Amino acid sequence: MPPSTALSRPLAATVGLLPPPPEQAIPPEQATAPETQTLHFGACPDSVPRPAAPDRVECGRISVPLDWNHHRGPHIEVAVSRVPATGTPAERRGILLVNPGGPGGSGLPYAVTKRAKFPESVRRSYDVIGFDPRGVGRSAPADCGAMGGLFDSPGADPVPVGPAAENAYLAGLRNTADDCAAGAGDVLPYLSTEQTVRDMDAIRTALGEPRTNFLGVSYGTYLGAAYAARFPHRTGRMVLDSVVGPWDWYDFDVIQSRALLRQRDTFFAWTAAHPDRFVLGADARAVRRAYLRVREGLTARPVAGFGPAEFDRAVYRALGRTERWTGLADGLRTYLRDGSPDGLRPAAAFDSPDSRTYEAANRIVKCADAPAPTPHRILSDIRRTRHLDPQPVLTGMEASTCAYWQHQPSHRTPLGSPDAPPLLLVASAHDPVTPIEGAHRLRRLLPGSRLVTLDNDYSHGVFASRGNACVDETTAAYLVDGTVPTSDVRCMGPGLPTGQ
C-alpha cells in the first residue's frame, strides 16, 4: 500500500471487509500466498503510548485474506506497530513479534508497554512488532452485541444453583452465541488462531524477515505453538510465557476454574495470616466466611450495578496477580464495614468499547479453534466444581458459549512440531490462570525445548513481569544469543506478599 494510505487514514477506518481482487478464487493447491506486500509505517493512533526518547513507535497496516484458503476472496486489514531496535546493526537479531494474550488482547500498544520492561540487551537486538490479531482492536474488531446480557449491570449470578438457574444459564449461553452470529456474520468462522498465524507469517514476509521470533504470553503461547505447527521452518527464537496447555479450550477453562479454587484458598490463608491488617478473620475459614458474606450481600442487594457477576469478575482478576491481593482484601473489609463495593470495582469499565471487543473476540476465537462441549457436559462440570466448593469462580468459562455455536470447527488447532527449533517455555509454579501442567504437556510436542519455572510464585505472567533476574537473564540469553539451557531451569520466586 502507498505510504500516504498508512499515514493519512485512521486505523479505525479500515476494520471492515475489503473488496476481493478482480480475479476469483484459485484452486486450493495453487493458493499459497497473496502477492508480497511492503509494510509502510507512519503515525500511530492515540491508543498507542509513546515510548521515552530516543525510542520511537510507528504503525501501519497489512491487507490479508479473510480466508487464507481462498486468498483472492474478501480481505481485512491487520494493524501493526513497530519499535525499532536501538543497538548497532551487528547487534540486531531481527523482529520479535509479541502478543499479550486473551484471546482478545490488543498487541498494538503492547509492543511499547512490554518492550519497556525488557532487558536492555533484548531492546537493542530486536525490532519489537505488535499487532492486533484479527477480530481485535483495530483489526476488523469482533462484534457480539449484547452477548446474551453479559454487559447487563448488575449481571445475573454466574454460578447456577438448581434446575431453573441452570436452564437460565444455558439460555444465556445460547443468546450469546446467537448475538455473535448476528454481529459477526460471515466473518465468524475466520477469526481463528489458525487464520491468525497465517497473518503473522504475512507480517514476517512484508517486513522481509526470514524467520519469526516471538514472545507470547498466556493465549499468546497457544498462538506461538500454532505458528510453530504451521511454519516450523520459519520459526525462530520463541518464548512462550504462562503456557496454555494443548487442551480443547473448554477443557482448559474447566482446569483453570479448579486452579482458581486452590488459589483462592491460598488467598484466604494469606489474609488470615495478617488479621490486624485486614480484620477479616484469624484463620482461613473465618476469612472464607467473610468473603461469602460479601458475595451473599451483593447477591441479595446489588449496589450501584455491582452484584455477584461483577464481584466474581473482580475476584477472578485479583487472584491472577498477588500484587492485587491487598486491594481485594481491603475491598472485602470496606464492604463489610461500610456497605460500599467501590474498593472492589476495577478502574476500567467492563462495558467499554475495548472490553466489549475483547469479550467478543475471546469467545469467537475459542469457538473457532476446537470442538465444543455439550450443554449436558457443561452442567455436569459445574456441578462437579460446586461439589469441590459450593461457591466457585466461573468467570473464565468463556468456551461454554461454544455449545451453541453456529459454525463448529471440524478439527482442533494443531500445536507444536518436532521440526521446530527448541523453544523456551516459562511458567510460574502456582499460576492459577494458566496452570503449570499446561507447560509440561505442551513441551512434549516441542522436542528439545526447555522449561523455566519460577518456584514459590503465584502470579500470571513471568518474563519481564515479575522482576526475577534468573528468569529474565535466562530468557534474554536465549533471545539474544540463542542459548538454549542444557536442562530445565528452576528460579526462586518472591513468595506471597508481605501484607503491608
Side-chain angles (χ1 to χ4, degrees):
M1 67 184 69
S4 60
T5 301
L7 291 171
S8 62
R9 282 189 299 157
L11 289 173
T14 69
V15 298
L17 291 183
L18 301 179
E23 298 182 30
Q24 299 303 308
I26 59 177
E29 64 272 12
Q30 299 177 31
T32 53
E35 183 179 350
T36 300
Q37 302 176 59
T38 299
L39 251 170
H40 296 283
F41 288 97
C44 290
D46 292 340
S47 59
V48 177
R50 272 49 175 177
D55 294 346
R56 58 189 172 86
V57 61
E58 51 199 5
C59 293
R61 291 180 293 270
I62 184 172
S63 175
V64 297
L66 175 63
D67 180 2
W68 275 95
N69 296 317
H70 299 89
H71 65 73
R72 293 192 181 275
H75 279 50
I76 58 175
E77 288 193 338
V78 172
V80 181
S81 61
R82 176 172 68 182
V83 183
T86 55
T88 65
E91 291 177 284
R92 189 177 183 277
R93 297 293 183 267
I95 60 170
L96 182 65
L97 212 62
V98 295
N99 179 271
S106 172
L108 209 63
Y110 192 65
V112 177
T113 57
K114 185 65 175 180
R115 180 187 177 277
K117 302 174 184 178
F118 286 167
E120 183 180 1
S121 60
V122 179
R123 298 197 301 268
R124 294 181 64 85
S125 300
Y126 286 98
D127 294 345
V128 179
I129 309 297
F131 72 106
D132 282 351
R134 54 173 60 205
V136 174
R138 296 176 180 269
S139 298
D143 179 9
C144 285
M147 295 188 70
L150 180 68
F151 300 106
D152 290 350
S153 179
D157 192 326
V159 182
V161 180
E166 290 178 345
N167 288 336
Y169 183 87
L170 294 180
L173 298 179
R174 183 188 295 276
N175 291 338
T176 299
D178 290 345
D179 285 348
C180 286
D186 294 339
V187 174
L188 198 67
Y190 306 110
L191 301 185
S192 68
T193 295
E194 287 188 85
Q195 295 283 348
T196 296
V197 300
R198 303 285 293 271
D199 300 342
M200 291 166 59
D201 202 58
I203 293 171
R204 175 198 63 80
T205 301
L207 292 172
E209 297 287 340
R211 290 180 178 81
T212 297
N213 306 295
F214 181 74
L215 167 66
V217 181
S218 196
Y219 164 70
T221 66
Y222 189 93
L223 194 59
Y227 184 93
R230 177 78 193 194
F231 301 109
H233 301 295
R234 299 177 194 169
T235 299
R237 298 168 189 175
M238 186 173 283
V239 177
L240 307 182
D241 180 357
S242 303
V243 180
V244 173
W247 299 292
D248 291 347
W249 276 116
Y250 176 77
D251 293 335
F252 169 79
D253 288 353
V254 172
I255 291 167
Q256 182 193 84
S257 70
R258 310 284 167 80
L260 286 167
L261 293 179
R262 297 190 293 272
Q263 185 84 335
R264 194 177 62 180
D265 285 344
T266 302
F267 167 77
F268 290 155
W270 170 82
T271 305
H274 304 89
D276 295 334
R277 168 66 176 82
F278 299 116
V279 199
L280 290 172
D283 58 53
R285 288 177 296 178
V287 175
R288 175 185 170 82
R289 289 194 295 271
Y291 171 94
L292 292 176
R293 288 200 303 274
V294 174
R295 194 182 191 283
E296 289 164 0
L298 290 168
T299 301
R301 293 178 299 279
V303 179
F306 197 92
E310 292 73 22
F311 176 78
D312 281 4
R313 280 197 291 268
V315 171
Y316 177 89
R317 178 182 180 274
L319 290 179
R321 299 280 295 190
T322 54
E323 59 265 33
R324 298 170 183 159
W325 287 15
T326 295
L328 175 59
D330 283 342
L332 296 173
R333 182 189 60 185
T334 299
Y335 175 83
L336 290 173
R337 184 187 63 201
D338 304 333
S340 170
D342 290 347
L344 300 167
R345 293 181 188 274
F350 176 66
D351 62 349
S352 67
D354 287 345
S355 178
R356 285 176 174 266
T357 299
Y358 176 94
E359 298 295 338
N362 185 284
R363 288 156 178 79
I364 290 175
V365 173
K366 284 188 172 184
C367 295
D369 279 355
T374 64
H376 174 76
R377 185 184 169 194
I378 291 170
L379 294 182
S380 295
D381 284 331
I382 290 175
R383 292 166 188 160
R384 291 190 188 99
T385 303
R386 292 195 66 251
H387 181 74
L388 296 174
D389 190 303
Q391 193 59 71
V393 178
L394 303 181
T395 299
M397 298 288 292
E398 299 99 349
S400 298
T401 304
C402 308
Y404 298 100
W405 215 245
Q406 296 191 16
H407 296 276
Q408 297 287 348
S410 59
H411 67 284
R412 62 173 53 87
T413 303
L415 299 177
S417 170
D419 298 322
L423 276 57
L424 195 67
L425 283 64
V426 184
S428 168
H430 304 289
D431 179 356
V433 180
T434 53
I436 195 170
E437 180 186 357
H440 290 292
R441 292 204 174 204
L442 182 62
R443 188 179 55 168
R444 297 171 195 165
L445 305 178
L446 298 163
S449 297
R450 297 287 183 260
L451 173 61
V452 180
T453 301
L454 185 59
D455 288 324
N456 199 27
D457 187 73
Y458 296 78
S459 288
H460 184 60
V462 183
F463 169 61
S465 178
R466 303 300 293 153
N468 185 274
C470 171
V471 170
D472 291 355
E473 290 169 6
T474 301
T475 305
Y478 169 78
L479 286 172
V480 176
D481 301 321
T483 302
V484 179
T486 56
S487 60
D488 289 346
V489 177
R490 303 194 78 96
C491 301
M492 182 53 64
L496 295 173
T498 61
Q500 299 302 316

